[in-house]
Amino acid sequence: MAISVAGGVKPGKIVELEHRLQHLLIVGKSKPTAMAGEIDAELEDSANKLEIEREAIRARIDKQNRAQALYKAVSTQLITSVNQTIEHQLASTELVLEHSSLDDKQVLLLEMLYCKQVDLVKIRPLVMALPWLQRDLINMINSPTFRHRRPKSSEIQVTDIKLVLNYIGIENLQALIPYFCLRNLMPTGQPQLLWVTRKLWRYSIISAIAAQALVALHGKDRAFFYSCSLMNQLGNSCVISNCAKLFDSTWGTWLREASASRDKALYDAVMATEFPALDVYQQALKHSGLLNWQLLEQLDFEQSRLTQTFKSVNTSLKYADLNDDAKLLERANCFAKVYLLQESGNITAAERRVMYDYYELSEQELIRLNAQNYRKLSLI
């Protein structure tokens, strides 16, 4: 008879499976399945061109032993320099926050949206204080998808944020604003990170859909768990974004100096140096869970329900010790992890059962979860 692992101290097998998923998201080379609402789709050509250029350079380098030795020396030195700076920055929550896209207005807005009584009058100034969010909402209200919901006589572009919020409505805002907040936090702008960002995005969306399914089954607070499941990638996103910015800054400086020196071998060695995904994966394992709640505390949201949920997940040794909010979030995350590992062929049936057993997913919950469409998150 099999011994159940449900709810106790997290077994090594569960830790290994969760690390396997994190490795797949950050280090894995496979390109993710396309999802609606893709981030930086226009970067795909740049990412492919950069990879082709690097492959060509590495092919040339492979033919030149001397250049190969130079490449290894330069690449090692560059990555070591980047890693030292990363270690210093990630050791300080204040520094991570300073170099992230997160601020108190976003967190306050999320909190107000999952309150029992949502007040559009109080929400409006916060939206106006976030230009990127205001732009996203205006674009949404004027899109063909939403235009049919407006009065038939109105074909004029709506730009007044008061009208925009009223047209969209509270329930749709509860879906759209956390979605746009997550998208704003995701690592962007670096072609070499395109696939990592897409995988993180997809994991977040699958987790959010799973959370919605569990909420519907148990009659829980939909707005809160939806925001919580999306923002669960806060720490991961900040770690990867910070690492990417530091790598790009250092890599760019070295590339300019190599170009100025007119040393083609040196230039090729710098150019061929890739983003240190394996090192970043190790940093994410170490810091992302802590940052999920420490960044919120840094913004003075210590007593926030969001903060307390993330803190419970990160600091509790046993699933059984989690608060009720954290338990539901972790069950949704468990399903998302298994879903992605299974899709990529990185989990066995026995390992899947161990995950479901530990996180106490019931047969009824699994039936409901397996019935969902994980290709698209319904926003409106």
Side-chain angles (χ1 to χ4, degrees), residues 243-269:
C243 292
K245 288 173 185 175
L246 288 169
F247 174 78
D248 270 12
S249 175
T250 306
W251 183 72
T253 299
W254 283 43
L255 201 62
R256 287 189 295 273
E257 290 176 354
S259 178
S261 73
R262 299 184 182 279
D263 185 333
K264 190 175 188 317
L266 178 60
Y267 180 89
D268 281 356

Side-chain angles (χ1 to χ4, degrees), residues 56-65 67-69 71 265 268-269 272:
I57 290 171
R58 283 194 288 269
R60 290 204 305 270
I61 287 175
D62 285 341
K63 296 176 183 177
Q64 306 168 29
N65 290 333
Q68 179 71 15
Y71 162 68
D268 281 356

